[in-house]
PDB file of all heavy atoms in Angstrom:
ATOM      1  N   SER A  68     -19.219  11.811   1.090  1.00 77.00           N
ATOM      2  CA  SER A  68     -20.392  12.624   0.739  1.00 77.00           C
ATOM      3  C   SER A  68     -21.527  11.631   0.399  1.00 77.00           C
ATOM      4  O   SER A  68     -22.639  12.037   0.301  1.00 77.00           O
ATOM      5  CB  SER A  68     -20.188  13.452  -0.558  1.00 77.00           C
ATOM      6  OG  SER A  68     -19.821  12.590  -1.586  1.00 77.00           O
ATOM      7  N   TYR A  69     -21.250  10.362   0.454  1.00 59.00           N
ATOM      8  CA  TYR A  69     -22.231   9.304   0.025  1.00 59.00           C
ATOM      9  C   TYR A  69     -23.057   8.638   1.191  1.00 59.00           C
ATOM     10  O   TYR A  69     -24.117   8.252   1.109  1.00 59.00           O
ATOM     11  CB  TYR A  69     -21.672   8.353  -0.994  1.00 59.00           C
ATOM     12  CG  TYR A  69     -21.888   8.716  -2.409  1.00 59.00           C
ATOM     13  CD1 TYR A  69     -21.384   9.828  -2.847  1.00 59.00           C
ATOM     14  CD2 TYR A  69     -22.573   7.829  -3.203  1.00 59.00           C
ATOM     15  CE1 TYR A  69     -21.792  10.320  -4.141  1.00 59.00           C
ATOM     16  CE2 TYR A  69     -22.921   8.128  -4.459  1.00 59.00           C
ATOM     17  CZ  TYR A  69     -22.422   9.426  -4.976  1.00 59.00           C
ATOM     18  OH  TYR A  69     -22.761   9.770  -6.210  1.00 59.00           O
ATOM     19  N   GLU A  74     -26.991   7.745  -3.978  1.00 61.00           N
ATOM     20  CA  GLU A  74     -27.113   9.271  -4.376  1.00 61.00           C
ATOM     21  C   GLU A  74     -26.517  10.157  -3.427  1.00 61.00           C
ATOM     22  O   GLU A  74     -26.499   9.844  -2.224  1.00 61.00           O
ATOM     23  CB  GLU A  74     -28.700   9.571  -4.496  1.00 61.00           C
ATOM     24  CG  GLU A  74     -29.131  10.831  -5.137  1.00 61.00           C
ATOM     25  CD  GLU A  74     -28.564  11.019  -6.484  1.00 61.00           C
ATOM     26  OE1 GLU A  74     -28.554  10.222  -7.391  1.00 61.00           O
ATOM     27  OE2 GLU A  74     -27.829  12.203  -6.589  1.00 61.00           O
ATOM     28  N   SER A  75     -25.830  11.146  -4.056  1.00 62.00           N
ATOM     29  CA  SER A  75     -25.114  12.018  -3.034  1.00 62.00           C
ATOM     30  C   SER A  75     -25.884  12.763  -2.080  1.00 62.00           C
ATOM     31  O   SER A  75     -27.012  13.231  -2.402  1.00 62.00           O
ATOM     32  CB  SER A  75     -24.294  13.076  -3.807  1.00 62.00           C
ATOM     33  OG  SER A  75     -23.511  13.949  -3.107  1.00 62.00           O
ATOM     34  N   GLY A  77     -25.209  15.581  -0.721  1.00 73.00           N
ATOM     35  CA  GLY A  77     -25.036  17.087  -1.032  1.00 73.00           C
ATOM     36  C   GLY A  77     -24.050  17.610   0.022  1.00 73.00           C
ATOM     37  O   GLY A  77     -23.633  18.759  -0.383  1.00 73.00           O
ATOM     38  N   VAL A  79     -20.419  17.565   1.769  1.00 90.00           N
ATOM     39  CA  VAL A  79     -19.158  17.094   1.656  1.00 90.00           C
ATOM     40  C   VAL A  79     -18.224  17.229   2.894  1.00 90.00           C
ATOM     41  O   VAL A  79     -18.044  18.388   3.331  1.00 90.00           O
ATOM     42  CB  VAL A  79     -18.246  17.661   0.545  1.00 90.00           C
ATOM     43  CG1 VAL A  79     -16.933  17.131   0.359  1.00 90.00           C
ATOM     44  CG2 VAL A  79     -19.035  17.460  -0.815  1.00 90.00           C
ATOM     45  N   ASP A  98      -9.282  11.878  -8.693  1.00 98.00           N
ATOM     46  CA  ASP A  98     -10.446  11.334  -8.224  1.00 98.00           C
ATOM     47  C   ASP A  98     -10.878  10.167  -9.116  1.00 98.00           C
ATOM     48  O   ASP A  98     -10.541   9.999 -10.263  1.00 98.00           O
ATOM     49  CB  ASP A  98     -11.547  12.389  -7.898  1.00 98.00           C
ATOM     50  CG  ASP A  98     -12.467  11.881  -6.742  1.00 98.00           C
ATOM     51  OD1 ASP A  98     -12.369  10.782  -6.303  1.00 98.00           O
ATOM     52  OD2 ASP A  98     -13.442  12.629  -6.379  1.00 98.00           O
ATOM     53  N   ILE A 100     -14.246   9.462  -9.836  1.00 98.00           N
ATOM     54  CA  ILE A 100     -15.263   9.836 -10.844  1.00 98.00           C
ATOM     55  C   ILE A 100     -15.900  11.153 -10.560  1.00 98.00           C
ATOM     56  O   ILE A 100     -15.926  11.639  -9.341  1.00 98.00           O
ATOM     57  CB  ILE A 100     -16.442   8.718 -10.662  1.00 98.00           C
ATOM     58  CG1 ILE A 100     -17.643   8.919 -11.602  1.00 98.00           C
ATOM     59  CG2 ILE A 100     -17.018   8.622  -9.267  1.00 98.00           C
ATOM     60  CD1 ILE A 100     -18.528   7.667 -11.810  1.00 98.00           C
ATOM     61  N   LEU A 101     -16.204  12.030 -11.631  1.00 97.00           N
ATOM     62  CA  LEU A 101     -16.882  13.255 -11.464  1.00 97.00           C
ATOM     63  C   LEU A 101     -18.302  12.873 -11.811  1.00 97.00           C
ATOM     64  O   LEU A 101     -18.789  12.492 -12.853  1.00 97.00           O
ATOM     65  CB  LEU A 101     -16.291  14.061 -12.485  1.00 97.00           C
ATOM     66  CG  LEU A 101     -16.975  15.638 -12.703  1.00 97.00           C
ATOM     67  CD1 LEU A 101     -17.031  16.278 -11.378  1.00 97.00           C
ATOM     68  CD2 LEU A 101     -16.271  16.391 -13.761  1.00 97.00           C
ATOM     69  N   ASP A 102     -19.164  13.190 -10.732  1.00 95.00           N
ATOM     70  CA  ASP A 102     -20.592  12.986 -10.768  1.00 95.00           C
ATOM     71  C   ASP A 102     -21.379  14.228 -10.716  1.00 95.00           C
ATOM     72  O   ASP A 102     -21.511  15.011 -11.562  1.00 95.00           O
ATOM     73  CB  ASP A 102     -20.946  11.835  -9.823  1.00 95.00           C
ATOM     74  CG  ASP A 102     -22.415  11.470  -9.862  1.00 95.00           C
ATOM     75  OD1 ASP A 102     -23.242  11.818 -10.864  1.00 95.00           O
ATOM     76  OD2 ASP A 102     -22.856  10.716  -8.946  1.00 95.00           O
ATOM     77  N   SER A 103     -21.749  14.497  -9.479  1.00 94.00           N
ATOM     78  CA  SER A 103     -22.498  15.790  -9.243  1.00 94.00           C
ATOM     79  C   SER A 103     -21.531  17.008  -9.280  1.00 94.00           C
ATOM     80  O   SER A 103     -21.984  18.130  -9.540  1.00 94.00           O
ATOM     81  CB  SER A 103     -23.189  15.886  -7.872  1.00 94.00           C
ATOM     82  OG  SER A 103     -22.362  15.901  -6.892  1.00 94.00           O
ATOM     83  N   GLY A 104     -20.339  16.710  -8.950  1.00 95.00           N
ATOM     84  CA  GLY A 104     -19.399  17.936  -8.967  1.00 95.00           C
ATOM     85  C   GLY A 104     -19.108  18.394  -7.576  1.00 95.00           C
ATOM     86  O   GLY A 104     -18.168  19.251  -7.288  1.00 95.00           O
ATOM     87  N   LEU A 105     -19.984  18.002  -6.586  1.00 95.00           N
ATOM     88  CA  LEU A 105     -19.884  18.568  -5.293  1.00 95.00           C
ATOM     89  C   LEU A 105     -18.533  18.172  -4.550  1.00 95.00           C
ATOM     90  O   LEU A 105     -18.018  19.193  -3.969  1.00 95.00           O
ATOM     91  CB  LEU A 105     -21.011  18.013  -4.441  1.00 95.00           C
ATOM     92  CG  LEU A 105     -22.445  18.497  -4.777  1.00 95.00           C
ATOM     93  CD1 LEU A 105     -23.517  17.643  -4.183  1.00 95.00           C
ATOM     94  CD2 LEU A 105     -22.634  19.942  -4.398  1.00 95.00           C
ATOM     95  N   THR A 106     -18.143  17.039  -4.680  1.00 94.00           N
ATOM     96  CA  THR A 106     -16.879  16.780  -3.943  1.00 94.00           C
ATOM     97  C   THR A 106     -15.674  17.629  -4.536  1.00 94.00           C
ATOM     98  O   THR A 106     -14.913  18.189  -3.690  1.00 94.00           O
ATOM     99  CB  THR A 106     -16.584  15.247  -4.293  1.00 94.00           C
ATOM    100  OG1 THR A 106     -17.558  14.467  -3.809  1.00 94.00           O
ATOM    101  CG2 THR A 106     -15.282  14.848  -3.524  1.00 94.00           C
ATOM    102  N   LEU A 107     -15.523  17.653  -5.879  1.00 96.00           N
ATOM    103  CA  LEU A 107     -14.328  18.301  -6.390  1.00 96.00           C
ATOM    104  C   LEU A 107     -14.468  19.763  -6.185  1.00 96.00           C
ATOM    105  O   LEU A 107     -13.515  20.494  -5.968  1.00 96.00           O
ATOM    106  CB  LEU A 107     -14.093  17.843  -7.780  1.00 96.00           C
ATOM    107  CG  LEU A 107     -13.447  16.546  -7.982  1.00 96.00           C
ATOM    108  CD1 LEU A 107     -13.623  16.106  -9.432  1.00 96.00           C
ATOM    109  CD2 LEU A 107     -12.072  16.495  -7.508  1.00 96.00           C
ATOM    110  N   ASP A 108     -15.730  20.336  -6.134  1.00 96.00           N
ATOM    111  CA  ASP A 108     -15.806  21.687  -6.038  1.00 96.00           C
ATOM    112  C   ASP A 108     -15.584  22.008  -4.573  1.00 96.00           C
ATOM    113  O   ASP A 108     -14.943  23.164  -4.373  1.00 96.00           O
ATOM    114  CB  ASP A 108     -17.434  22.077  -6.266  1.00 96.00           C
ATOM    115  CG  ASP A 108     -17.656  23.595  -5.993  1.00 96.00           C
ATOM    116  OD1 ASP A 108     -17.279  24.301  -6.801  1.00 96.00           O
ATOM    117  OD2 ASP A 108     -18.316  23.902  -4.976  1.00 96.00           O
ATOM    118  N   ALA A 109     -15.917  21.282  -3.616  1.00 95.00           N
ATOM    119  CA  ALA A 109     -15.566  21.487  -2.212  1.00 95.00           C
ATOM    120  C   ALA A 109     -14.106  21.530  -1.888  1.00 95.00           C
ATOM    121  O   ALA A 109     -13.444  22.287  -1.278  1.00 95.00           O
ATOM    122  CB  ALA A 109     -16.263  20.505  -1.255  1.00 95.00           C
ATOM    123  N   ILE A 110     -13.356  20.487  -2.699  1.00 96.00           N
ATOM    124  CA  ILE A 110     -11.958  20.449  -2.510  1.00 96.00           C
ATOM    125  C   ILE A 110     -11.216  21.662  -3.152  1.00 96.00           C
ATOM    126  O   ILE A 110     -10.385  22.298  -2.546  1.00 96.00           O
ATOM    127  CB  ILE A 110     -11.391  19.125  -3.157  1.00 96.00           C
ATOM    128  CG1 ILE A 110     -11.959  17.936  -2.282  1.00 96.00           C
ATOM    129  CG2 ILE A 110      -9.911  19.070  -3.258  1.00 96.00           C
ATOM    130  CD1 ILE A 110     -11.689  16.480  -2.923  1.00 96.00           C
ATOM    131  N   LEU A 111     -11.599  21.968  -4.346  1.00 97.00           N
ATOM    132  CA  LEU A 111     -11.077  23.206  -4.990  1.00 97.00           C
ATOM    133  C   LEU A 111     -11.237  24.508  -4.311  1.00 97.00           C
ATOM    134  O   LEU A 111     -10.363  25.274  -4.205  1.00 97.00           O
ATOM    135  CB  LEU A 111     -11.622  23.199  -6.418  1.00 97.00           C
ATOM    136  CG  LEU A 111     -10.698  22.784  -7.713  1.00 97.00           C
ATOM    137  CD1 LEU A 111     -10.426  21.322  -7.487  1.00 97.00           C
ATOM    138  CD2 LEU A 111     -11.347  23.000  -8.866  1.00 97.00           C
ATOM    139  N   SER A 112     -12.417  24.624  -3.707  1.00 95.00           N
ATOM    140  CA  SER A 112     -12.708  25.878  -3.079  1.00 95.00           C
ATOM    141  C   SER A 112     -11.907  25.978  -1.736  1.00 95.00           C
ATOM    142  O   SER A 112     -11.304  27.131  -1.487  1.00 95.00           O
ATOM    143  CB  SER A 112     -14.264  25.981  -2.591  1.00 95.00           C
ATOM    144  OG  SER A 112     -15.100  25.823  -3.631  1.00 95.00           O
ATOM    145  N   ILE A 125      -7.592  18.977 -12.444  1.00 98.00           N
ATOM    146  CA  ILE A 125      -8.347  17.839 -11.987  1.00 98.00           C
ATOM    147  C   ILE A 125      -8.165  16.688 -13.044  1.00 98.00           C
ATOM    148  O   ILE A 125      -8.175  16.749 -14.140  1.00 98.00           O
ATOM    149  CB  ILE A 125      -9.939  18.144 -11.916  1.00 98.00           C
ATOM    150  CG1 ILE A 125     -10.061  19.032 -10.619  1.00 98.00           C
ATOM    151  CG2 ILE A 125     -10.715  16.824 -11.720  1.00 98.00           C
ATOM    152  CD1 ILE A 125     -11.427  19.564 -10.678  1.00 98.00           C
ATOM    153  N   VAL A 127      -9.805  12.730 -13.487  1.00 98.00           N
ATOM    154  CA  VAL A 127     -10.633  11.767 -13.062  1.00 98.00           C
ATOM    155  C   VAL A 127     -10.596  10.572 -14.036  1.00 98.00           C
ATOM    156  O   VAL A 127     -10.502  10.700 -15.285  1.00 98.00           O
ATOM    157  CB  VAL A 127     -12.053  12.210 -12.902  1.00 98.00           C
ATOM    158  CG1 VAL A 127     -12.310  13.257 -11.708  1.00 98.00           C
ATOM    159  CG2 VAL A 127     -12.651  12.921 -14.243  1.00 98.00           C
ATOM    160  N   LEU A 129     -13.305   8.525 -14.510  1.00 98.00           N
ATOM    161  CA  LEU A 129     -14.625   8.533 -15.093  1.00 98.00           C
ATOM    162  C   LEU A 129     -15.338   9.915 -14.962  1.00 98.00           C
ATOM    163  O   LEU A 129     -15.030  10.602 -13.922  1.00 98.00           O
ATOM    164  CB  LEU A 129     -15.446   7.399 -14.500  1.00 98.00           C
ATOM    165  CG  LEU A 129     -15.041   6.140 -14.497  1.00 98.00           C
ATOM    166  CD1 LEU A 129     -15.883   5.158 -13.674  1.00 98.00           C
ATOM    167  CD2 LEU A 129     -14.788   5.513 -15.827  1.00 98.00           C
ATOM    168  N   SER A 130     -16.141  10.219 -16.053  1.00 98.00           N
ATOM    169  CA  SER A 130     -16.892  11.546 -15.973  1.00 98.00           C
ATOM    170  C   SER A 130     -18.300  11.129 -16.321  1.00 98.00           C
ATOM    171  O   SER A 130     -18.578  10.750 -17.397  1.00 98.00           O
ATOM    172  CB  SER A 130     -16.281  12.521 -16.802  1.00 98.00           C
ATOM    173  OG  SER A 130     -17.187  13.660 -16.780  1.00 98.00           O
ATOM    174  N   LYS A 131     -19.292  11.286 -15.466  1.00 97.00           N
ATOM    175  CA  LYS A 131     -20.627  10.876 -15.794  1.00 97.00           C
ATOM    176  C   LYS A 131     -21.155  11.995 -16.543  1.00 97.00           C
ATOM    177  O   LYS A 131     -21.162  13.256 -16.282  1.00 97.00           O
ATOM    178  CB  LYS A 131     -21.471  10.748 -14.459  1.00 97.00           C
ATOM    179  CG  LYS A 131     -21.728   9.325 -14.077  1.00 97.00           C
ATOM    180  CD  LYS A 131     -22.571   9.136 -12.939  1.00 97.00           C
ATOM    181  CE  LYS A 131     -22.126   7.899 -12.161  1.00 97.00           C
ATOM    182  NZ  LYS A 131     -23.113   7.685 -11.006  1.00 97.00           N
ATOM    183  N   ARG A 133     -23.945  13.854 -17.106  1.00 93.00           N
ATOM    184  CA  ARG A 133     -25.367  14.275 -16.587  1.00 93.00           C
ATOM    185  C   ARG A 133     -25.116  15.774 -16.133  1.00 93.00           C
ATOM    186  O   ARG A 133     -24.016  16.132 -15.857  1.00 93.00           O
ATOM    187  CB  ARG A 133     -25.711  13.248 -15.615  1.00 93.00           C
ATOM    188  CG  ARG A 133     -24.860  13.207 -14.343  1.00 93.00           C
ATOM    189  CD  ARG A 133     -25.798  13.409 -13.208  1.00 93.00           C
ATOM    190  NE  ARG A 133     -25.365  12.873 -11.911  1.00 93.00           N
ATOM    191  CZ  ARG A 133     -25.967  13.216 -10.794  1.00 93.00           C
ATOM    192  NH1 ARG A 133     -26.993  14.023 -10.718  1.00 93.00           N
ATOM    193  NH2 ARG A 133     -25.478  12.735  -9.668  1.00 93.00           N
ATOM    194  N   PRO A 134     -26.202  16.413 -15.843  1.00 93.00           N
ATOM    195  CA  PRO A 134     -26.191  17.759 -15.447  1.00 93.00           C
ATOM    196  C   PRO A 134     -25.505  17.686 -13.928  1.00 93.00           C
ATOM    197  O   PRO A 134     -25.918  16.890 -13.144  1.00 93.00           O
ATOM    198  CB  PRO A 134     -27.609  18.293 -15.099  1.00 93.00           C
ATOM    199  CG  PRO A 134     -28.445  17.372 -16.113  1.00 93.00           C
ATOM    200  CD  PRO A 134     -27.655  15.956 -16.198  1.00 93.00           C
ATOM    201  N   ARG A 135     -24.624  18.666 -13.804  1.00 94.00           N
ATOM    202  CA  ARG A 135     -23.847  18.679 -12.420  1.00 94.00           C
ATOM    203  C   ARG A 135     -24.506  19.621 -11.456  1.00 94.00           C
ATOM    204  O   ARG A 135     -25.174  20.647 -12.051  1.00 94.00           O
ATOM    205  CB  ARG A 135     -22.432  19.060 -12.601  1.00 94.00           C
ATOM    206  CG  ARG A 135     -21.802  18.192 -13.750  1.00 94.00           C
ATOM    207  CD  ARG A 135     -20.347  17.850 -13.497  1.00 94.00           C
ATOM    208  NE  ARG A 135     -19.728  17.286 -14.560  1.00 94.00           N
ATOM    209  CZ  ARG A 135     -19.760  15.972 -14.903  1.00 94.00           C
ATOM    210  NH1 ARG A 135     -20.475  15.251 -14.302  1.00 94.00           N
ATOM    211  NH2 ARG A 135     -19.100  15.611 -15.998  1.00 94.00           N
ATOM    212  N   ARG A 136     -24.305  19.360 -10.194  1.00 93.00           N
ATOM    213  CA  ARG A 136     -24.735  20.439  -9.251  1.00 93.00           C
ATOM    214  C   ARG A 136     -23.876  21.602  -9.216  1.00 93.00           C
ATOM    215  O   ARG A 136     -24.102  22.696  -8.728  1.00 93.00           O
ATOM    216  CB  ARG A 136     -25.171  19.709  -8.003  1.00 93.00           C
ATOM    217  CG  ARG A 136     -26.318  18.770  -8.063  1.00 93.00           C
ATOM    218  CD  ARG A 136     -26.529  17.907  -6.911  1.00 93.00           C
ATOM    219  NE  ARG A 136     -26.953  18.540  -5.679  1.00 93.00           N
ATOM    220  CZ  ARG A 136     -27.187  17.955  -4.530  1.00 93.00           C
ATOM    221  NH1 ARG A 136     -27.052  16.641  -4.497  1.00 93.00           N
ATOM    222  NH2 ARG A 136     -27.635  18.683  -3.540  1.00 93.00           N
ATOM    223  N   LYS A 137     -22.562  21.150  -9.295  1.00 93.00           N
ATOM    224  CA  LYS A 137     -21.479  22.206  -9.447  1.00 93.00           C
ATOM    225  C   LYS A 137     -20.836  22.027 -10.817  1.00 93.00           C
ATOM    226  O   LYS A 137     -20.372  20.925 -11.128  1.00 93.00           O
ATOM    227  CB  LYS A 137     -20.523  22.057  -8.382  1.00 93.00           C
ATOM    228  CG  LYS A 137     -21.097  22.341  -6.945  1.00 93.00           C
ATOM    229  CD  LYS A 137     -21.287  23.793  -6.660  1.00 93.00           C
ATOM    230  CE  LYS A 137     -21.858  24.112  -5.326  1.00 93.00           C
ATOM    231  NZ  LYS A 137     -22.093  25.496  -5.099  1.00 93.00           N
ATOM    232  N   GLU A 138     -20.563  23.051 -11.538  1.00 93.00           N
ATOM    233  CA  GLU A 138     -19.826  23.031 -12.809  1.00 93.00           C
ATOM    234  C   GLU A 138     -18.437  22.922 -12.619  1.00 93.00           C
ATOM    235  O   GLU A 138     -17.745  23.846 -12.136  1.00 93.00           O
ATOM    236  CB  GLU A 138     -20.113  24.338 -13.697  1.00 93.00           C
ATOM    237  CG  GLU A 138     -21.016  24.202 -14.844  1.00 93.00           C
ATOM    238  CD  GLU A 138     -21.255  22.712 -15.326  1.00 93.00           C
ATOM    239  OE1 GLU A 138     -20.267  22.139 -15.789  1.00 93.00           O
ATOM    240  OE2 GLU A 138     -22.276  22.200 -15.297  1.00 93.00           O
ATOM    241  N   ILE A 139     -17.855  21.777 -12.880  1.00 95.00           N
ATOM    242  CA  ILE A 139     -16.494  21.457 -12.635  1.00 95.00           C
ATOM    243  C   ILE A 139     -15.803  20.957 -13.985  1.00 95.00           C
ATOM    244  O   ILE A 139     -16.373  20.114 -14.650  1.00 95.00           O
ATOM    245  CB  ILE A 139     -16.359  20.262 -11.594  1.00 95.00           C
ATOM    246  CG1 ILE A 139     -16.656  20.780 -10.242  1.00 95.00           C
ATOM    247  CG2 ILE A 139     -14.963  19.653 -11.599  1.00 95.00           C
ATOM    248  CD1 ILE A 139     -15.630  21.751  -9.593  1.00 95.00           C
ATOM    249  N   HIS A 140     -14.784  21.533 -14.249  1.00 95.00           N
ATOM    250  CA  HIS A 140     -14.131  21.111 -15.570  1.00 95.00           C
ATOM    251  C   HIS A 140     -12.885  20.187 -15.128  1.00 95.00           C
ATOM    252  O   HIS A 140     -11.954  20.563 -14.454  1.00 95.00           O
ATOM    253  CB  HIS A 140     -13.504  22.302 -16.306  1.00 95.00           C
ATOM    254  CG  HIS A 140     -12.657  21.941 -17.429  1.00 95.00           C
ATOM    255  ND1 HIS A 140     -13.168  21.241 -18.587  1.00 95.00           N
ATOM    256  CD2 HIS A 140     -11.391  22.029 -17.619  1.00 95.00           C
ATOM    257  CE1 HIS A 140     -12.213  20.939 -19.414  1.00 95.00           C
ATOM    258  NE2 HIS A 140     -11.013  21.417 -18.864  1.00 95.00           N
ATOM    259  N   ALA A 141     -12.979  18.951 -15.710  1.00 97.00           N
ATOM    260  CA  ALA A 141     -11.924  18.026 -15.361  1.00 97.00           C
ATOM    261  C   ALA A 141     -10.847  18.124 -16.576  1.00 97.00           C
ATOM    262  O   ALA A 141     -11.306  18.064 -17.787  1.00 97.00           O
ATOM    263  CB  ALA A 141     -12.366  16.538 -15.260  1.00 97.00           C
TER     264      ALA A 141
END
Side-chain angles (χ1 to χ4, degrees):
S68 62
Y69 261 59
E74 190 49 53
S75 179
V79 178
D98 205 354
I100 185 166
L101 173 57
D102 184 9
S103 71
L105 287 168
T106 303
L107 286 166
D108 179 71
I110 292 170
L111 257 61
S112 301
I125 291 173
V127 289
L129 305 174
S130 174
K131 259 187 210 177
R133 65 128 157 167
R135 309 216 190 280
R136 291 168 73 178
K137 295 283 180 182
E138 252 339 295
I139 288 287
H140 172 70

